[in-house]
Amino acid sequence: MKAIAKTIVIVLINTLFFSCKQNPTANTSKPHDRMGKASREDKNGWVYLHLAGSPADIGYQHGYLLYKEIDTLLKVMEYYLPYSSKKDWAFYRNASSRFLWKKIDKEYQDEIRGIMEGLRAHGLKYDTLDITAMNANIELAQYYVPGLMNKIKPGSGDNKAPGNCSAFIATGRYTKDGKIVIGHNNWTDYIIGERWNVIADIVPEKGNHILMDCAPGFIHSGDDFVVTSSGILITETTITGFKGFDTTRTPEFVRARKAAQYSKSIDDVIRIMSTDNNGGYANDWLIGDTKTNEVAKLELGLKTSKVWRSKDTAMIGSNFPSDPGLIKEETTFDVNDKTSSPNARKLRMEKLVCVDYKGKLDVENGKIIEGDTFDALQGKNAFNRCIIDGHIDQDPKGCPEWSEGPYFPMGAVQGKVTSTALANKMQLWAHMGHPGGTDFLAAPFFKQHPEYNYQAKYLRDMKAYPWTLFAAK
């Protein structure tokens, strides 16, 4: 009996031992690969970035693949914002903590946290407040801060709202094929804009597949040129002289991303952008739906908004407001100043989009429009604040309506164009650098304008690359 019992014990021990080592049902799966099929490709001044998965994974992929670019842009903002806004980076982090973070949807909090984790995988020590402040930098520095200034001294914060972008959208009799053509160029300070060079191809777990341009570390486009798998096209230009900001409402960058990700119609974009609107980054939004080839303009202030829409029209944006009520109540905009950048560009855009190219508009003509350097006031080609492809760095007047001095290094930094036909294939054309094809060279600029030497630490050459076709995977 003892021998039998001993044999049974040995068999049981061996069974347990080998089952622990060789159990075919044991969990042998690999840890979750957060990178998935994410990828980047550097092309003609752009970084094409493919991201897919959960919000946290999309963020991680973004932070991991663009860690160098995000690190640099954060350093630029930390250095530059104290000059441009008189507030340091700690101020922007504090604002993000006090009233922005709690108004960000959980999925976008997860994406921001994922970006942070992707950066930390490379040893960088940024946190969610840094990424939030980066995404909200425009609405904080150019809407929230001016509002604080005006509370202390009325009028001191006027003319701080950014004058960014020249854009158009057209359909019906205005285009070559009767369908939508949309174009946009981004105006901003060169020290930031030269780095606004990402084409993000995002496939989220929920909502639309998105193809958009953006800055490194942004969860939204920021200058706003968006193509989605639901056939929605979105772009915008800012409202010059706008005043208003509500810290209790949802940040613009959150609403803009949500509109891109979840809109199936023009009505959806209008609803999402208008709901709990904080007034930050107040824009004229140009929206198209390739399913119907209808286009719309949403002029969205804080207190006032208006919508124009049609299947047979051309709409333009060059930082001018249109609604008399909004102009009177929420801006300092002077509709009668023909020499201002918004009004001068409006004159030229109307001529090109609504007259010269009417019935002929396509993506090739769209590229020409976004790179146009004709000054309608002088009746000749020029490099200044009044042309569609802006060059304030060469303008002796600067741009007073945006509180920018003579020869301030700012203007058009890149451009994008697409159409119904291209958007239905999730494609767009993009141009890094001045869409008209000229380079900005830092060394000779600083030699001629030493008053801007404080930017020399980060302001680099901005080369004009060729137009490049990008397609979502």
Side-chain angles (χ1 to χ4, degrees):
M1 291 295 293
K2 289 182 178 180
I4 294 173
K6 186 176 181 180
T7 301
I8 292 172
V9 170
I10 292 170
V11 170
L12 286 172
I13 290 172
N14 286 338
T15 300
L16 288 170
F17 177 76
F18 284 105
S19 68
C20 288
K21 293 191 70 176
Q22 302 178 10
N23 183 359
T25 63
N27 183 9
T28 59
S29 62
K30 294 181 180 179
H32 172 59
D33 179 9
R34 299 191 70 178
M35 293 301 294
K37 295 182 179 179
S39 62
R40 69 171 281 172
E41 178 186 359
D42 294 46
K43 191 172 184 180
N44 287 339
W46 294 95
V47 179
Y48 167 79
L49 192 66
H50 176 70
L51 312 172
S54 68
D57 284 352
I58 285 173
Y60 182 85
Q61 294 160 12
H62 188 163
Y64 191 88
L65 291 171
L66 289 188
Y67 76 98
K68 290 182 180 179
E69 290 83 358
I70 296 171
D71 179 40
T72 299
L73 186 55
L74 279 165
K75 288 175 178 174
V76 170
M77 288 187 179
E78 186 172 356
Y79 175 82
Y80 185 57
L81 285 173
Y83 285 101
S84 61
S85 71
K86 312 304 180 187
K87 301 292 183 182
D88 64 15
W89 191 243
F91 170 89
Y92 293 102
R93 284 174 47 85
N94 182 260
S96 299
S97 175
R98 284 190 299 107
F99 59 83
L100 288 183
W101 183 255
K102 63 186 177 183
K103 298 296 293 184
I104 300 173
D105 296 33
K106 183 182 181 302
E107 69 174 306
Y108 303 130
Q109 288 183 347
D110 289 345
E111 187 169 338
I112 288 169
R113 192 175 290 109
I115 292 172
M116 175 196 74
E117 291 167 351
L119 295 175
R120 291 190 172 185
H122 288 284
L124 300 174
K125 302 301 182 183
Y126 299 111
D127 61 21
T128 57
L129 296 182
D130 292 311
I131 308 304
T132 300
M134 166 188 268
N135 276 269
N137 81 92
I138 294 175
E139 53 193 300
L140 289 178
Q142 297 178 284
Y143 295 83
Y144 174 53
V145 170
L148 296 178
M149 294 170 65
N150 279 334
K151 286 180 180 179
I152 298 170
K153 182 181 179 181
S156 63
D158 291 355
N159 301 327
K160 301 298 183 183
N164 291 1
C165 315
S166 303
F168 73 88
I169 191 168
T171 191
R173 289 176 297 167
Y174 289 81
T175 63
K176 190 173 183 179
D177 64 0
K179 299 178 181 180
I180 297 171
V181 179
I182 184 172
H184 175 274
N185 68 31
N186 175 359
W187 285 43
T188 192
D189 299 4
Y190 293 158
I191 196 171
I192 300 290
E194 188 270 332
R195 297 171 168 87
W196 207 303
N197 66 335
V198 178
I199 300 293
D201 170 16
I202 305 174
V203 187
E205 280 184 336
K206 298 177 182 179
N208 302 322
H209 186 170
I210 302 167
L211 185 67
M212 66 184 187
D213 77 314
C214 66
F218 279 23
I219 69 167
H220 61 134
S221 174
D223 69 327
D224 300 294
F225 194 84
V226 179
V227 176
T228 79
S229 58
S230 65
I232 299 301
L233 309 176
I234 303 172
T235 194
E236 48 81 2
T237 70
T238 51
I239 299 172
T240 295
F242 186 83
K243 299 191 295 183
F245 189 81
D246 188 338
T247 61
T248 69
R249 297 184 182 180
T250 301
E252 185 275 343
F253 80 86
V254 174
R255 290 179 285 117
R257 169 57 183 275
K258 187 183 293 187
Q261 188 171 341
Y262 289 107
S263 294
K264 303 295 183 184
S265 65
I266 291 172
D267 288 326
D268 285 346
V269 178
I270 294 169
R271 173 180 53 80
I272 293 170
M273 290 306 305
S274 302
T275 299
D276 204 35
N277 162 33
N278 72 342
Y281 208 13
N283 292 322
D284 276 272
W285 294 90
L286 303 181
I287 312 159
D289 186 343
T290 65
K291 300 184 296 297
T292 62
N293 287 302
E294 182 182 19
V295 303
K297 179 166 81 167
L298 165 64
E299 189 163 275
L300 184 62
L302 175 60
K303 304 171 186 176
T304 311
S305 67
K306 188 168 182 177
V307 176
W308 299 262
R309 57 196 300 172
S310 175
K311 293 183 180 179
D312 185 21
T313 191
M315 298 172 174
I316 62 171
S318 62
N319 312 121
F320 62 88
S322 299
D323 178 51
L326 183 142
I327 294 169
K328 183 179 179 180
E329 281 199 34
E330 301 196 76
T331 80
T332 59
F333 188 77
D334 185 353
V335 296
N336 297 313
D337 182 4
K338 295 180 180 180
T339 69
S340 74
S341 173
N343 288 331
R345 284 181 290 131
K346 177 183 179 183
L347 189 63
R348 180 60 175 165
M349 291 283 282
E350 287 175 337
K351 178 75 160 51
L352 290 175
V353 175
C354 302
V355 180
D356 292 356
Y357 289 113
K358 184 178 180 180
K360 298 177 283 187
L361 267 175
D362 57 16
V363 293
E364 293 306 313
N365 291 332
K367 295 175 189 177
I368 294 170
I369 291 169
E370 293 303 337
D372 186 75
T373 58
F374 188 83
D375 183 339
L377 297 182
Q378 298 186 53
K380 64 179 183 180
N381 283 307
F383 287 146
N384 58 30
R385 71 191 182 284
C386 294
I387 62 173
I388 294 170
D389 179 14
H391 289 255
I392 295 177
D393 58 296
Q394 297 189 49
D395 195 318
K397 188 177 179 179
C399 203
E401 57 269 32
W402 304 327
S403 297
E404 292 175 346
Y407 306 108
F408 186 81
M410 185 269 196
V413 298
Q414 39 99 316
K416 296 82 51 184
V417 180
T418 195
S419 64
T420 291
L422 289 176
N424 286 339
K425 297 183 287 185
M426 293 292 288
Q427 295 179 335
L428 61 82
W429 284 94
H431 183 288
M432 194 61 217
H434 279 291
T438 58
D439 296 334
F440 168 80
L441 302 177
F445 172 80
F446 287 126
K447 187 175 181 179
Q448 293 178 18
H449 305 291
E451 65 271 27
Y452 297 113
N453 277 343
Y454 68 92
Q455 296 192 30
K457 183 174 181 180
Y458 289 110
L459 181 56
R460 309 179 298 188
D461 292 347
M462 185 174 71
K463 296 297 185 71
Y465 290 86
W467 283 94
T468 305
L469 182 66
F470 288 94
K473 290 187 178 179

